[in-house]
Amino acid sequence: MTDPEQAVARTDDRLAPDVDVLVVGAGITGIYQLYRALEAGFSAQLLEAGAGVGGTWYWNRYPGARFDSESYTYAYLFSKELFEEWEWREHFAGQPEIERYLNHVVDRFDLRRHMRFGAAVNSAVWDEPSATWSVVVDPDTVIRARFMVAATGNLSVPYYPDVPGRADFEGEQYHTGRWPVTPVDFAGKRVAVVGTGSSGVQVVPAIAEQVASLTVYQRTANWCTPLNNAPINPDEQARLRAEFEPICETLQTSASGFLHPVHDRATFDDSEEERRAFYERMWNSPGFSKLTSNYTDLLFDPAANAEWCEFIVERIRGIVEDPATAERLIPKDHRFGEKRPPFVIGYYEAFNRPNVTLVDLKETPIVRVTAGGIETTDGERPFDVLVWATGFDYGTGALTRMGIRGRNGEALEDHWADGPATFLGILSTGFPNLFFPGGPHAAAGNNPRYNGDQVDFIMDTLVHLRRHGYDSIEVEQAAEERWTNMIDRWAAKPPSFGRSSYFFGANIPGKPRRYLLNSGGRPKLLSMIAEVRDNDYRAFRLARTPDSTAATA
Ligand code: NAP
């Protein structure tokens, strides 16, 4: 076993790895991966580009950033003691609490000494003779790793739209996905927020009170419904602790990875009066339960979906006092669930403030950013601060920018030129010993749950390799094709997210339009993992490399 403390310092060209498992990314998945690798007796090191722990919950520290999955369903389940000792203050925790939790986990399990911050990976090259990855962190540091786990996240490369003049703006500008650690002072400033996805609709109500004026630039309205957050009271804390096992059982087996009970009725099984009462309950229910506990045909029957949407429309018109603004806030081009729905606290209410204005970019598109503000086709508005809530290069963004070169020097970005090809959303043919949990073809509900499934599978696989003396693993092309074809085939079936969504890469000019989530869902992931195990890993080519030293734990 290699001493991980020596790993970074060693830059020699010996064939033995510096470290068994090199994890990239200190987000929820990377931290869990590091914990599991160390627990299994591998030497392991984690590299993180940021200055602290948290991944997406480190970078997205904009005002209003918070979970929209229940805190205790997003948290780690690998330690009952951890689950019991950490008291989440709110059902949907805010970013500061999330960051505190992740730091607590890292320190509680003594992981920090295996982590290196400010360490962005510039290149990672597969070395065939030694069966190792040579990973360059900065010009002088090369780490040779037997296995590389790129836990680099789906939502980690911010997207700035190609708006003319963006660099000319002389005020402050920020992207929600790269928010500075030093808090931004909004007091008395004229602020523009561009983008009304889940990030934009969180930031708007959070800063509306502080700013002199807030102008929200909306291109596409979203179906926003209330998050219905609340503090967790002492009785609920006690119940959470008492119910650890059943909570785990539900979260580890449910298709969505949530605790929400699935409804057993279709829309038109109920009378009109019953439906209204049900929609009322849904509106007042927590977070994602509007998707996961709604009528069973919500996403399948257009008439069912339209009725729920009509209920939301009534609510928007009831909350927003200015009828013209209310109309602009009503989505016209997609149904509920065709895009990832945001869950909000006071978003529609914010437009009743005299200092908040909505600009509909479908009516008046942006022409350019000027030195002093934003110009649309109806003129220029001056601003002190621009907030770009314009999303991410989803799924493949981080992995295709890391300089990953696999067998015969093939670039991962070339292998994925027409969109990602993966097996289980974890491996890709031609890139031995590289795993990317939480990457493309992974997402299937509540993030940490299926990312955790993937990490668990990786660990079972690494232990299998060690037990049998193998030091390299590569997925067979037939297995990669089978999984990728399944993803594409199922993505075309209803209920599918709209093709204009970032889930198809549609928000990035020039990006191939391929589905980036796991359209088969968590049940498919789990059944395929079981199949791999039952077939004794026949989906893979496992090899011993004579020149190298196998992971020796
Ligand atoms: P997003 O959903 O991709 O939204 C980007 C927004 O920017 C959209 O409104 C988009 O408009 C707009 N936009 C993009 N290019 C534009 C342009 N050239 N001009 C004007 N507007 C433009 O990104 P996001 O809001 O950051 O959310 C991404 C994902 O992160 C979410 O779906 C969710 O999965 C996750 N998230 C989660 C939470 C949470 O858990 N609480 C919070 C925030 C984000 P169009 O719709 O017209 O493209």
Side-chain angles (χ1 to χ4, degrees):
M1 172 115 53
T2 322
D3 176 357
E5 298 312 305
Q6 294 169 8
V8 173
R10 288 215 328 234
T11 56
D12 63 31
D13 58 358
R14 294 182 338 166
L15 293 177
D18 297 314
V19 67
D20 299 330
V21 181
L22 186 68
V23 183
V24 185
I28 297 223
T29 307
I31 294 170
Y32 181 50
Q33 176 65 63
L34 179 66
Y35 169 81
R36 289 291 321 270
L38 292 167
E39 180 199 44
F42 292 96
S43 67
Q45 174 108 34
L46 185 147
L47 305 174
E48 164 57 50
V53 163
T56 199
W57 296 107
Y58 173 83
W59 296 109
N60 288 267
R61 52 179 67 242
Y62 57 84
R66 66 172 62 247
F67 282 156
D68 59 9
S69 301
E70 283 82 351
S71 311
Y72 32 90
T73 73
Y74 211 93
Y76 294 114
L77 301 175
F78 64 81
S79 158
K80 185 176 181 184
E81 294 73 29
L82 171 66
F83 189 89
E84 287 181 346
E85 77 198 11
W86 184 268
E87 289 208 342
W88 291 99
R89 289 172 45 220
E90 295 177 279
H91 284 280
F92 299 94
Q95 185 275 338
E97 187 178 8
I98 301 164
E99 196 180 9
R100 277 200 303 278
Y101 169 74
L102 293 173
N103 276 287
H104 168 75
V105 173
V106 163
D107 291 329
R108 189 192 191 287
F109 294 98
D110 195 19
L111 302 177
R112 201 175 294 274
R113 67 195 174 90
H114 302 279
M115 296 179 153
R116 185 171 156 184
F117 297 97
V121 171
N122 301 321
S123 89
V125 178
W126 173 247
D127 180 59
E128 190 80 33
S130 63
T132 56
W133 284 94
S134 278
V135 179
V136 180
V137 181
D138 52 51
D140 303 323
T141 307
V142 180
I143 303 171
R144 196 184 283 278
R146 171 72 66 218
F147 303 102
M148 181 163 83
V149 183
T152 43
N154 272 331
L155 295 157
S156 41
V157 176
Y159 169 64
Y160 293 88
D162 191 12
V163 179
R166 199 166 52 78
D168 302 336
F169 183 65
E170 288 173 357
E172 304 162 61
Q173 46 180 329
Y174 306 97
H175 192 288
T176 47
R178 279 288 177 278
W179 204 262
V181 173
T182 309
V184 176
D185 180 10
F186 284 105
K189 292 185 180 159
R190 298 163 303 172
V191 179
V193 172
V194 184
T196 53
S198 298
S199 304
V201 301
Q202 282 188 332
V203 86
V204 164
I207 62 172
E209 274 181 31
Q210 307 158 39
V211 299
S213 70
L214 177 56
T215 308
V216 181
Y217 287 87
Q218 168 191 279
R219 191 166 66 180
T220 308
N222 263 315
W223 293 109
C224 300
T225 54
L227 181 63
N228 295 316
N229 189 23
I232 303 179
N233 66 38
D235 286 350
E236 290 169 329
Q237 298 284 13
R239 203 162 55 242
L240 282 170
R241 266 198 287 276
E243 293 180 358
F244 175 71
E245 277 85 10
I247 287 172
C248 283
E249 172 66 19
T250 305
L251 292 177
Q252 302 296 42
T253 53
S254 92
S256 65
F258 287 101
L259 291 175
H260 313 144
V262 177
H263 197 41
D264 57 359
R265 291 177 75 76
T267 303
F268 302 107
D269 292 345
D270 281 350
S271 69
E272 196 177 337
E273 199 182 334
E274 287 166 334
R275 298 203 295 275
R276 281 206 69 81
F278 180 77
Y279 293 144
E280 196 75 43
R281 283 206 301 283
M282 282 290 100
W283 180 265
N284 293 314
S285 70
F288 269 96
S289 48
K290 284 109 181 160
L291 259 184
T292 51
S293 301
N294 213 314
Y295 283 123
T296 51
D297 54 354
L298 176 79
L299 300 178
F300 298 93
D301 179 352
N305 197 294
E307 200 175 79
W308 166 238
C309 288
E310 196 43 47
F311 179 87
I312 303 174
V313 166
E314 275 176 34
R315 289 308 175 107
I316 297 172
R317 290 190 181 129
I319 297 170
V320 180
E321 289 158 11
D322 174 42
T325 302
E327 283 317 299
R328 291 187 179 106
L329 287 166
I330 296 168
K332 308 285 187 309
D333 65 347
H334 68 282
R335 295 179 289 172
F336 186 87
E338 275 182 13
K339 284 187 164 195
R340 200 277 203 190
F343 303 102
V344 293
I345 302 175
Y347 176 62
Y348 293 125
E349 290 81 350
F351 291 96
N352 294 335
R353 298 181 60 85
N355 64 338
V356 178
T357 311
L358 181 69
V359 174
D360 187 335
L361 294 174
K362 293 236 163 85
E363 294 169 9
T364 54
I366 293 180
V367 176
R368 66 175 68 84
V369 176
T370 64
I374 294 179
E375 183 185 333
T376 58
T377 51
D378 68 345
E380 183 182 349
R381 288 178 178 80
F383 296 112
D384 304 306
V385 184
L386 306 185
V387 175
W388 299 96
T390 44
F392 300 87
D393 184 349
Y394 181 83
T396 51
L399 290 166
T400 55
R401 284 173 172 82
M402 275 172 62
I404 294 176
R405 301 292 175 263
R407 197 184 290 291
N408 304 319
E410 186 184 17
L412 186 64
E413 54 272 31
D414 291 342
H415 188 58
W416 289 356
D418 297 326
T422 81
F423 181 60
L424 306 176
I426 301 178
L427 308 97
S428 203
T429 309
F431 298 84
N433 291 14
L434 169 67
F435 306 90
F436 41 86
H441 296 171
N446 192 15
N447 283 290
R449 304 285 67 92
Y450 61 79
N451 290 353
D453 300 335
Q454 291 183 312
V455 170
D456 292 343
F457 172 71
I458 292 167
M459 287 316 305
D460 288 350
T461 303
L462 296 188
V463 169
H464 178 88
L465 298 181
R466 181 173 63 190
R467 186 174 302 136
H468 296 279
Y470 293 115
D471 48 25
S472 85
I473 176 168
E474 182 179 356
V475 64
E476 297 283 2
Q477 193 165 348
E480 179 181 271
E481 282 173 8
R482 189 175 151 214
W483 177 264
T484 304
N485 291 341
M486 181 279 295
I487 296 284
D488 289 340
R489 213 171 44 248
W490 288 30
K493 288 185 190 173
S496 73
F497 283 100
R499 295 195 77 83
S500 63
S501 145
Y502 69 80
F503 291 148
F504 278 92
N507 62 328
I508 306 296
K511 189 165 175 170
R513 300 282 177 102
R514 291 284 291 278
Y515 199 62
L516 296 168
L517 287 78
N518 171 9
S519 53
R522 197 175 181 210
K524 189 70 187 169
L525 174 69
L526 294 176
S527 73
M528 287 289 283
I529 285 175
E531 192 182 309
V532 168
R533 286 206 196 98
D534 292 348
N535 290 339
D536 203 22
Y537 292 82
R538 275 207 296 273
F540 301 105
R541 272 195 301 281
L542 309 180
R544 296 178 183 89
T545 306
D547 284 350
S548 74
T549 312
T552 51

